[in-house]
Structure formats: C-alpha cells, structure tokens
Amino acid sequence: MASLSLSSLKKVLRVMVDSPGFDRVLKKVEILSASPGKVVCEMKVAEEHTNRLGMLHGGLTATLVDAISTTAIMYSERATPGVSVDMNITYMNAARIGEDVLITAQVLKEGRTLAFATVDLINKTTGKIIAQGRHTKHLGS
C-alpha cells in the first residue's frame, strides 16, 4: 500500500510547481489517478511547452518522464523520490498546441536500492504514442 494519499500526492506536485525553479514548467500537469506504483496525469500542450515548430519540446517530454515516474515511485511502499541513475526517452510522434496528452507512469520494479519505471505519453484523442521513457532511480540504502 502507498504511504501517501492521492490528495497528498497532488499537494506534493503543487509544492513543486509553486516553488522557484525548473519544476514550474509542470504547472499545467494534473494528476488524474494513482494506485500503488502507478500514476496517470494529463496536460494540454500550450505554446510554452513547444519548440520553434509548435510541437511538444523534447526537453519538456524528458522532464515529464523524470517527474511523473518519480511521482509513481513516491506513491509506493517506500515513498521516497530517490535520485536519477539513468533515463532514456524514445520520441515517436509529435504533440501540438491544444492537444491533450495522457502521461502514465508505472513502477516496473522496486528493489532494495533501485527502482525502475516506465512512462508513456499518449495523445488522448488519437491514442497515438508520443513518447516512451524509462527511468532508473537510486533509492538509498
């Protein structure tokens, strides 16, 4: 069972985005649901999220993989964010301004010192996968 409640998890995300620093780019991400080791979020792509071509910026996609997988890891038995060890993203389709993106993070395995998660970014309307990321985090001893 997760140590944090869904309400607490939403508050953690709000504290992150309301603080000075880079996490403010996540202010339009909304947590839709959570179960132990899994978090589903949604974000409407806005101009501030795009590159010069008007498509979801790859750097923001990487940030979503990082932050939402960390949220899923926090919504597990250990409830610790850990530190990143490895992360990779495969970009498959573009997301444009006004499109809704579903972001689903799933913890694949949580061991004694490492956690492994996957994140899918899906176009809510078309069902096309935009990107998929994998994230490995060190949880401490």
Side-chain angles (χ1 to χ4, degrees), residues 6-25:
L6 179 57
S7 174
S8 296
L9 196 62
K10 288 180 178 185
K11 287 178 186 172
V12 167
L13 185 61
R14 284 303 115 213
V15 167
M16 286 172 52
V17 301
D18 291 340
S19 300
F22 189 72
D23 289 332
R24 291 178 294 172
V25 300

Side-chain angles (χ1 to χ4, degrees), residues 6 12-13 18 32 53 55 58 79 87 90 92 103 107:
L6 179 57
V12 167
L13 185 61
D18 291 340
L32 299 179
L53 301 174
M55 294 180 276
M87 188 170 71
T90 302
M92 293 174 244
I103 307 135
V107 177

Side-chain angles (χ1 to χ4, degrees), residues 3 10 13 21-22 30 32 46 54-56 61-62 88 118 123 126 138-139 141:
S3 299
K10 288 180 178 185
L13 185 61
F22 189 72
E30 178 187 351
L32 299 179
M55 294 180 276
L56 181 63
T61 301
N88 69 68
T118 186
N123 182 304
T126 67
H138 184 266
L139 304 176
S141 307

Side-chain angles (χ1 to χ4, degrees), residues 56-70:
L56 181 63
H57 193 285
L60 182 60
T61 301
T63 298
L64 290 166
V65 168
D66 183 5
I68 307 307
S69 63
T70 298

Side-chain angles (χ1 to χ4, degrees), residues 15-78:
V15 167
M16 286 172 52
V17 301
D18 291 340
S19 300
F22 189 72
D23 289 332
R24 291 178 294 172
V25 300
L26 302 170
K27 69 182 174 189
K28 294 190 177 175
V29 173
E30 178 187 351
I31 298 175
L32 299 179
S33 66
S35 56
K38 182 177 181 179
V39 174
V40 179
C41 300
E42 184 175 20
M43 182 189 84
K44 183 179 287 295
V45 178
E47 186 176 14
E48 66 214 48
H49 303 133
T50 62
N51 59 25
R52 286 177 277 142
L53 301 174
M55 294 180 276
L56 181 63
H57 193 285
L60 182 60
T61 301
T63 298
L64 290 166
V65 168
D66 183 5
I68 307 307
S69 63
T70 298
T71 305
I73 292 167
M74 289 177 63
Y75 201 68
S76 65
E77 189 67 36
R78 295 201 31 204

